[in-house]
Amino acid sequence: MPTAWTLGAAGVLIAFGIVELLTRAEFVNPAYLPPASSVVAETFRLFGDSDFWDALGATLWAAAYGLARAIIIAVPLGLVLGLSRWAYRAAITVVELLRPIPSVALIPLAILLFGTGTSMKAFLVTFACLWPILFTTIYGVHDVDRVGVDTARVFGLGWFKRAARVNLPAASPFIYTGIKIAASVALILAIGAEIVAGGSSGLGIEMGEARALGNLKLSYAYVIITGIIGLLLYIVMEAIERHLFRWRSV
């Protein structure tokens, strides 16, 4: 029986083969879609370019920094809103007012406040990642078994101890799901902010420069690399989830 990895690899090879045939047969203009083989070759060339690694590091740092700040803000806030009906009712209008705002719409404000460096990208990433983590935390707290909460109350645990020892551990699978979603959002926002706002270094900046120079092979190579990063991120996050929450499958 073929494994999931085997089937996935076969799907990728078939997709690249189709693109190669379409461009070689000129069903698609190679000026707009270069042959897949040339894009793959350009992708491998980038791995030996020190400027590429600098750009990759800048993008990943901005994404990780913004995601970490979102976790630090959203998890405690979600616990409070999930545990307190009054706090939830007081805050939900503001939350629902801010949540639909696209992060890219805040780019002019972010540039005015932070310039075009890492702080600007991290601000946008934090804003975008805040919402999935916040709401999964709230839903996770609401899903906690009331028996465990009542038992902790009977044993004299105060509000903060119940939140830390009962609600937070029980809601952690929900919170982690929000973090997984936010991790992908962080990568997308970091690259998107670089493409739109520019800056000194980053994958999005390199993409924009390649497009401006008309180097389509390089542009598509950066797209492939972004997809590879997203895939690796998914694999790592799934492995961490299986390790942290083994008890869920028992």
Side-chain angles (χ1 to χ4, degrees), residues 18 66 120 127 133 142 145 147-148 158-159 162 167 203 216:
I18 291 172
M120 178 272 294
F127 182 84
I133 302 173
H142 287 170
D145 187 357
V147 174
W159 191 92
R162 290 200 306 272
N167 296 99
L203 289 180
L216 288 182

Side-chain angles (χ1 to χ4, degrees), residues 102-112 115 120 123-124 192-194 196-197:
S103 294
V104 291
L106 298 176
I107 288 178
L109 174 62
I111 293 175
L112 287 174
M120 178 272 294
F123 168 77
L124 296 172
E194 291 166 350
V196 175

Side-chain angles (χ1 to χ4, degrees), residues 192-217:
E194 291 166 350
I195 292 174
V196 175
S200 58
S201 182
L203 289 180
I205 296 167
E206 298 296 326
M207 286 183 185
E209 290 179 356
R211 183 184 58 188
L213 294 172
N215 191 339
L216 288 182
K217 287 192 297 184

Side-chain angles (χ1 to χ4, degrees), residues 1-227:
M1 288 292 290
T3 64
W5 285 105
T6 303
L7 293 173
V12 170
L13 291 175
I14 291 171
F16 274 96
I18 291 172
V19 173
E20 183 77 15
L21 289 173
L22 289 175
T23 52
R24 295 294 183 185
E26 296 189 356
F27 287 111
V28 178
N29 190 341
Y32 300 106
L33 183 63
S37 56
S38 64
V39 175
V40 171
E42 185 71 10
T43 303
F44 279 105
R45 184 195 67 79
L46 281 175
F47 290 127
D49 187 345
S50 60
D51 291 337
F52 159 73
W53 291 106
D54 291 339
L56 176 62
T59 297
L60 293 181
W61 168 246
Y65 181 36
L67 176 61
R69 294 201 306 187
I71 294 171
I72 292 171
I73 296 170
V75 173
L77 182 59
L79 281 172
V80 172
L81 297 184
L83 291 170
S84 173
R85 184 180 303 174
W86 296 104
Y88 180 84
R89 290 177 177 175
I92 191 61
T93 301
V94 176
V95 169
E96 291 296 347
L97 180 67
L98 295 175
R99 184 167 64 122
I101 298 176
S103 294
V104 291
L106 298 176
I107 288 178
L109 174 62
I111 293 175
L112 287 174
L113 293 175
F114 306 107
T116 57
T118 300
S119 296
M120 178 272 294
K121 292 183 285 186
F123 168 77
L124 296 172
V125 170
T126 300
F127 182 84
C129 294
L130 187 70
W131 312 116
I133 302 173
L134 176 65
F135 279 95
T136 51
T137 303
I138 293 173
Y139 296 148
V141 171
H142 287 170
D143 194 66
V144 173
D145 187 357
R146 297 303 305 174
V147 174
V149 176
D150 293 338
T151 302
R153 185 181 291 110
V154 168
F155 278 94
L157 271 66
W159 191 92
F160 287 102
K161 288 186 177 181
R162 290 200 306 272
R165 298 183 183 181
V166 179
N167 296 99
L168 182 59
S172 58
F174 290 85
I175 297 171
Y176 190 81
T177 298
I179 294 173
K180 280 202 306 182
I181 296 170
S184 299
V185 173
L187 178 62
I188 295 169
L189 253 296
I191 295 175
E194 291 166 350
I195 292 174
V196 175
S200 58
S201 182
L203 289 180
I205 296 167
E206 298 296 326
M207 286 183 185
E209 290 179 356
R211 183 184 58 188
L213 294 172
N215 191 339
L216 288 182
K217 287 192 297 184
L218 184 57
S219 297
Y220 285 118
Y222 277 114
V223 171
I224 290 175
I225 287 170
T226 302

